[in-house]
Amino acid sequence: MKCSDCNGTGRDESAEVISCGPKGCIRSTGYDCDRCEGTGVMPAERAGWMIRGRAMIDARQAGGRSLREEAKRRGIDAQILSQMEFGMIEPAEENK
């Protein structure tokens, strides 16, 4: 499956990167895509994470809860919940 973030290119060209070293600073655009790790291909496991994460967002919003409210309800950090919802890490089954 082609990566939905980089459209299969393996690069995220939306950001400017500035690298500084002893010879000065160099500007470049883009970096390896975080979601597919620069391959341009979405591993099947991660595609499943995205589907499950979208279902988590839909359920949370249907219940009228913000990301922070849902994270508190689940007993996890809001940043972790966000990563789960966007398929960056494996979504955990709800404990509550």
Side-chain angles (χ1 to χ4, degrees):
M1 170 182 212
K2 182 168 47 170
C3 178
S4 60
D5 281 7
C6 67
N7 202 26
T9 66
R11 303 273 301 158
D12 182 345
E13 301 295 338
S14 65
E16 182 177 68
V17 178
I18 300 173
S19 303
C20 295
K23 294 183 178 181
C25 296
I26 300 170
R27 285 186 175 194
S28 61
T29 56
Y31 52 88
D32 286 346
C33 176
D34 288 334
R35 189 172 304 272
C36 69
E37 298 174 352
T39 65
V41 178
M42 179 78 68
E45 180 180 61
R46 282 207 165 183
W49 295 356
M50 289 179 66
I51 292 166
R52 288 172 45 205
R54 183 71 239 178
M56 290 171 65
I57 292 170
D58 292 343
R60 174 175 59 77
Q61 290 177 341
R65 293 181 300 277
S66 71
L67 180 79
R68 291 188 190 283
E69 290 168 336
E70 182 69 10
K72 186 175 181 180
R73 189 179 77 76
R74 288 175 175 247
I76 61 175
D77 187 75
Q79 183 176 1
I80 297 297
L81 179 59
S82 177
Q83 290 175 342
M84 283 189 236
E85 289 186 347
F86 285 99
M88 298 304 291
I89 62 174
E90 184 174 12
E93 297 300 320
E94 186 170 0
N95 296 328
K96 296 180 181 180

